Amino acid sequence: MGREELHITVPSLFKCPISMEVMKSPVSLCTGVTYDRSSIQHWLESGHDTCPATMQVLPSKIFVPNLTLHRLIHLWLHHSTTTAAAATASLISSHQLRVFIENITANVDRRDFLEKIVEFASARDENRRFLGDFDGFVEAIVGVLCKSAEMEVVELVVRVLDLITSQNGVKERVYSSIFRSNHQKWFASICLLLRNGSVNSKIESARVLEYLAALDVTESKRRIAEEEEILTVLLRLLASENDFNLCDAVLSCLTAVSVTRSVKPRLVRFRLIPILSEKLLNPNTKLSTAGKCVKLLSRVSTCPEGRSAISEAPKCVAAVVERLMKAGTEDAVAMLWGLCCVHGDKKVKDVVVKSNGVTKILLVMQSECEGHVRRMCGELVKALRVGCKVGGSGSGSGSGGDGALRRYETKTTHIMPC
C-alpha cells in the first residue's frame, strides 16, 4: 500500500487559521474567529492587539473555549485514527522491523534505516506503540546511542527515543538498557547533542532526560543528577538560549531532576538563582516559562543553600512577587511562605513588602485558590505584618505594603482564613 493512499483530508473548520494544523484546544476571540489556544496565546503575548484573521483591533484579549468545535474535532480524530491505524501500522511489518534492527545493530546502512523508523514513528501514536512494544527494539536503539559518535545517527536515535519513551513501559526499558550497558557513553552522547546539536535535537535530548528523571525510581533521578556535565550543559543552555521551547524543555528536565535532595545545592552552586532571576525579569518571557522558573525556585528554596542564595538576590524575590498573580501562583506562595514564615528571613520579608507583595497576597486569598494556598497566604500576611511593625514603626506615612497591611487589619477581615 502506498503512503499517498493514507492521506486524510482535514476539514478547514478544524484547522487553526494561524498554524494551519488541527486545533487541540479551540478558543474564540470576541471577533468570533476560533484559533488553537497555543497559537493565539503566542500571537497576543508577542504584542499584537488585533485578530489575526480579520485584523480588527481587539477591544478585549479574552478568549473562551469553543466546546462544540472541540467535541467535533475529537469525534473526527477518533474516526480518522480508527480507519487509518491498521493501514499505517502495516507500513513496517514485524519482519521488516526485525531486519531494520539487525542492520542498525550491525551498522549496515544505519542512518537510512533510522530515518525510516523516525518517519514511521512520527506518523501516529499507533506506530509508536508498535515500536515500543516490539521485542528488542528499545534495547537495540539504546545500544546504538552507547556506541555511535556520529552526530546524525545520535540525533536520529534521540528523536526515536523522544517519540516512543512516553509509551507505557518504555521509560523503564530505556532506563534498564542504559544502565546495563555503557551508561557513561550514553550520557556523553546526550551531552554531545545538548552542546552541538540542532535546537530540535537539544529539546528532544532534554525531554528524554526528563522522561527518565520522572520515573518512580529514586535511582534514576540520582544517576542523572550525578552527571555533573549534564547539569552544567543544561544550565548553560538555560542562560544563553532564547528559544522558548528549548528553555521550557530544559526547565522541565531540571525540575524533574531537582526532586533529588543532593542535586539542589549543586544547582545553586552552578548559579541557577541568577539565571532564573534573569528569565523572570525579562518582559518577553512567556507565562508558561515563568511558571516553570517559579516552580524550580520553589524546589531549590527547600535546601539551605537555595534559601541563602534567594535571600541574597532581592531582584529574584521581587520578580517572583511581580508575577505572583500571573505565573506559578501556588509555587510562588509556597516559596515565599517557606522563606518568610518557616525560616523568618527578614531580607525576603522586606523585599516582599516593598514590592507591594502584601496586596498581591491578599488578592490571591480572594481568588479561587486551593485551601492550603489560602492558609499559606494568611500566615504570610501575619508574618509580614509583624515584620512591618518591628522594622518600620518609625516611618511616617508608611510604605505601600505597610498601608496594605493596615487596610487588611481594618477593612478586609472577611478574607482572613478560619
Side-chain angles (χ1 to χ4, degrees), residues 138-338:
V138 170
E139 292 74 12
I141 288 294
V142 171
V144 172
L145 202 60
C146 293
K147 296 172 185 175
S148 178
E150 188 181 343
M151 176 67 81
E152 290 182 348
V153 169
V154 172
E155 285 188 323
L156 288 168
V157 170
V158 170
R159 189 160 304 143
V160 173
L161 287 176
D162 179 46
L163 287 165
I164 69 170
T165 304
S166 60
Q167 299 299 318
N168 187 36
V170 173
K171 287 192 289 286
E172 291 79 4
R173 289 168 59 196
V174 171
Y175 171 76
S176 177
S177 299
I178 291 170
F179 293 106
R180 274 206 311 264
S181 57
N182 185 355
H183 67 274
Q184 294 298 333
K185 174 62 178 173
W186 190 89
F187 282 117
S189 296
I190 293 293
C191 273
L192 175 69
L193 280 192
L194 289 172
R195 280 202 190 90
N196 305 319
S198 65
V199 171
N200 283 339
S201 294
K202 291 175 182 177
I203 291 171
E204 290 157 356
S205 300
R207 278 203 298 249
V208 170
L209 287 171
E210 182 195 353
Y211 288 141
L212 296 178
L215 271 171
D216 192 20
V217 181
T218 305
E219 185 73 6
S220 67
K221 299 175 180 60
R222 186 184 65 78
R223 294 245 192 172
I224 295 172
E226 285 176 350
E227 296 295 327
E228 192 155 308
E229 191 175 7
I230 290 276
L231 297 181
T232 303
V233 175
L234 286 171
L235 286 167
R236 191 176 299 136
L237 283 174
L238 189 60
S240 61
E241 286 287 345
N242 294 319
D243 185 278
F244 290 129
N245 292 326
L246 178 54
C247 288
D248 278 0
V250 170
L251 284 166
S252 295
C253 178
L254 290 173
T255 301
V257 173
S258 67
V259 173
T260 308
R261 184 181 303 174
S262 61
V263 78
K264 296 173 187 176
R266 290 162 63 200
L267 289 174
V268 175
R269 192 170 71 248
F270 294 154
R271 295 185 54 77
L272 174 67
I273 306 304
I275 294 171
L276 294 180
S277 300
E278 187 175 339
K279 292 290 180 189
L280 288 172
L281 289 166
N282 186 346
N284 295 321
T285 298
K286 293 194 307 181
L287 286 179
S288 61
T289 305
K292 290 182 179 184
C293 288
V294 173
K295 178 182 277 294
L296 189 50
L297 276 172
S298 180
R299 285 274 174 87
V300 297
S301 72
T302 59
C303 74
E305 294 84 355
R307 289 192 294 274
S308 176
I310 294 171
S311 179
E312 297 300 325
K315 288 184 179 180
C316 176
V317 178
V320 171
V321 173
E322 173 63 27
R323 292 183 178 268
L324 192 58
M325 294 292 295
K326 303 172 186 175
T329 298
E330 182 174 342
D331 291 306
V333 169
M335 186 193 90
L336 296 175
W337 175 81

Side-chain angles (χ1 to χ4, degrees), residues 15-34:
K15 294 180 181 179
C16 172
I18 298 175
S19 67
M20 298 308 294
E21 295 179 354
V22 177
M23 290 183 277
K24 296 179 181 177
S25 179
V27 294
S28 299
L29 290 177
C30 58
T31 57
V33 182
T34 299

